[in-house]
Amino acid sequence: MGKFKEHLLIFLKGIGMGGADVVPGVSGGTIAFITGIYEELLDSIKAVDLEAFKLLISFKLPEFWRKINGNFLLPLFLGIAVSLLTLSKLILYLLDEHPIPVWSFFFGLIIISAILVLRPIKKWNVGVVITLLAGIAIAYLITSATTSETPTDLWFIFLSGAIAICAMILPGISGSFILLVLGKYEYIFKALSNLDVVTILVFMAGCVTGLLSFVRVVSYLFKKFHDLTIALLAGFMLGSLNKVWPWKIPTAFRVDRHGEQVVAAAKNVMPNEYTEHFKTDPQLFTAILFLAIGILLVVGIEKVANYKIKPTQ
């Protein structure tokens, strides 16, 4: 019974990580850190190496399972999967029915997350500032140049998964944020909601590849170039804010693969211009409220994380 409770607790932590990665700005890595499983997660992922592969193909399954810490990884990833599958329908519904509050909430999440990500920088210098500005410029250019529809080819879905999964091991930056920058946020969640098996499997394959490939790279960058890496990540987040601006006016349309007309490109506008164009309430007060909720949520998570750290110091 003790083992069952332990596995159930890990499963629930996985649900928390999956729920965090549904929204841009809140990282599954942050939740892992808060719940005390961050180091075990990194160590378990690093254990999936050539030696583990040899054990697997030799059918030494008990040894393989112990090496990769399967009793930890299985319930954790099951929890993440359940969370993503159940919350995908909700997030798509909210984006369709209440876009301004949802995007305002995301805007608040991302801007406060970027600010908090910058806090661990130990020494500000010209290099750090230039890296931060470069990150802002790169993300802004990418999100400005990217229309509402990036390629739906399987190679791009694979690449999106490989890049987005890295956020799971980075406290402070979320996988959903990466998908947002790549223009695949709604597409992937629609695939999850509609159980598009091919898209989901290709995306998952990308996630596995990215996780196994980049976990060591990320660890190396953080150890050797900590401040520069942090500055670049924060720059990416700040530069992408134009992607989640709540008030947009369509500038081009296209027909999707289902024969439906959808927005191909849109421009950011101020609330008054939004009202003039759509002849509707810009929901300014609601937008400010949800922006504040997003900020308070991240601040609350950060406070809990600090509380968790203090007893060990």
Side-chain angles (χ1 to χ4, degrees), residues 83-118:
S83 187
L84 290 175
L85 289 171
T86 54
L87 290 176
S88 59
K89 289 184 181 293
L90 174 62
I91 201 71
L92 288 174
Y93 168 80
L94 292 174
L95 282 171
D96 285 337
E97 299 297 324
H98 308 283
I100 291 177
V102 173
W103 289 120
S104 299
F105 177 67
F106 289 172
F107 195 95
L109 288 175
I110 292 174
I111 194 168
I112 189 62
S113 295
I115 293 171
L116 293 179
V117 163
L118 288 170

Side-chain angles (χ1 to χ4, degrees), residues 76-281:
L76 183 72
F77 283 109
L78 280 176
I80 292 171
V82 168
S83 187
L84 290 175
L85 289 171
T86 54
L87 290 176
S88 59
K89 289 184 181 293
L90 174 62
I91 201 71
L92 288 174
Y93 168 80
L94 292 174
L95 282 171
D96 285 337
E97 299 297 324
H98 308 283
I100 291 177
V102 173
W103 289 120
S104 299
F105 177 67
F106 289 172
F107 195 95
L109 288 175
I110 292 174
I111 194 168
I112 189 62
S113 295
I115 293 171
L116 293 179
V117 163
L118 288 170
R119 284 177 55 181
I121 290 181
K122 299 167 185 175
K123 184 179 180 181
W124 282 90
N125 53 41
V126 175
V128 171
V129 173
I130 291 175
T131 304
L132 174 65
L133 294 177
I136 293 173
I138 292 169
Y140 182 84
L141 290 173
I142 290 174
T143 55
S144 297
T146 301
T147 63
S148 298
E149 186 68 15
T150 47
T152 56
D153 299 332
L154 293 182
W155 68 266
F156 193 81
I157 301 302
F158 180 90
L159 180 64
S160 298
I163 298 173
I165 196 63
C166 297
M168 184 180 294
I169 55 175
L170 294 175
I173 185 170
S174 74
S176 289
F177 161 76
I178 299 297
L179 291 178
L180 202 63
V181 172
L182 295 172
K184 278 290 161 280
Y185 181 78
E186 292 186 57
Y187 184 86
I188 295 299
F189 280 97
K190 282 182 180 177
L192 289 170
S193 178
N194 299 329
L195 294 179
D196 183 343
V197 177
V198 174
T199 300
I200 293 172
L201 288 178
V202 172
F203 182 75
M204 288 177 61
C207 289
V208 172
T209 303
L211 198 59
L212 297 180
S213 304
F214 295 148
V215 64
R216 292 170 178 80
V217 175
V218 170
S219 296
Y220 174 80
L221 290 175
F222 265 87
K223 287 178 181 177
K224 296 294 184 179
F225 308 101
H226 178 272
D227 290 355
L228 294 178
T229 303
I230 290 290
L232 186 64
L233 290 174
F236 285 159
M237 299 177 80
L238 291 171
S240 73
L241 286 173
N242 71 302
K243 191 76 173 181
V244 296
W245 182 252
W247 299 280
K248 297 179 183 290
I249 293 178
T251 57
F253 295 87
R254 64 173 186 83
V255 177
D256 66 11
R257 59 180 178 173
H258 302 296
E260 299 177 356
Q261 181 174 285
V262 295
V263 176
K267 67 174 182 177
N268 295 334
V269 297
M270 297 303 292
N272 61 323
E273 188 176 346
Y274 180 91
T275 301
E276 292 174 6
H277 182 86
F278 289 106
K279 309 299 181 186
T280 186
D281 179 16

